[in-house]
């Protein structure tokens, strides 16, 4: 969601730093957030996907364009599956 906010808005830089610090703290404590944004989507992924049409993509192309809920693992074991929005041609 932070990526959708205009970087010129007051407080954006502080929010970005806070998110980075939060992610580092989670990683130190054994949690990992899988970065799926702007990655290709395939049907074998363990995610809940909502599809939206995108005329700029080719017919067989599907890209994860929004993370609604992140994929989270704790000490290598998945504790929350991702919910994503996928743009497809």
């Amino acid at each position: 969601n932070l990526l959708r906010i205009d970087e010129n808005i007051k407080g954006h830089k502080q929010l970005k730093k806070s998110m980075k610090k939060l992610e580092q703290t989670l990683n130190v404590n054994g949690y990992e957030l899988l970065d799926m944004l702007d990655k290709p989507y395939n049907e074998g992924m363990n995610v809940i996907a909502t599809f939206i049409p995108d005329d700029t993509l080719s017919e067989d192309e599907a890209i994860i364009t929004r993370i609604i809920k992140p994929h989270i693992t704790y000490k290598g074991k998945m504790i929350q599956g991702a919910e994503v929005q996928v743009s497809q041609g």
Side-chain angles (χ1 to χ4, degrees):
N1 288 333
L2 191 58
L3 294 173
R4 295 178 176 269
I5 298 173
D6 184 0
E7 291 184 12
N8 297 319
I9 291 178
K10 185 177 181 178
H12 184 273
K13 197 177 283 188
Q14 290 83 359
L15 276 173
K16 196 171 182 178
K17 285 181 184 178
S18 294
M19 288 301 300
K20 187 79 164 167
K21 187 174 181 180
L22 175 61
E23 189 172 355
Q24 289 172 343
T25 302
L26 288 170
N27 290 342
V28 166
N29 289 301
Y31 293 91
E32 185 179 355
L33 296 146
L34 184 61
D35 182 19
M36 303 174 95
L37 194 61
D38 297 325
K39 303 285 195 272
Y41 169 81
N42 67 60
E43 301 232 355
M45 295 178 121
N46 189 14
V47 300
I48 298 171
T50 303
F51 297 92
I52 58 169
D54 187 337
D55 295 336
T56 64
L57 298 174
S58 65
E59 191 173 316
D60 60 341
E61 194 173 13
I63 304 292
I64 298 171
T65 51
R66 184 171 178 215
I67 307 295
I68 299 163
K69 283 184 177 179
H71 176 99
I72 302 173
T73 60
Y74 177 66
K75 296 185 178 178
K77 183 177 180 185
M78 184 179 78
I79 59 171
Q80 176 178 289
E83 187 174 337
V84 299
Q85 187 174 55
V86 178
S87 295
Q88 66 180 17

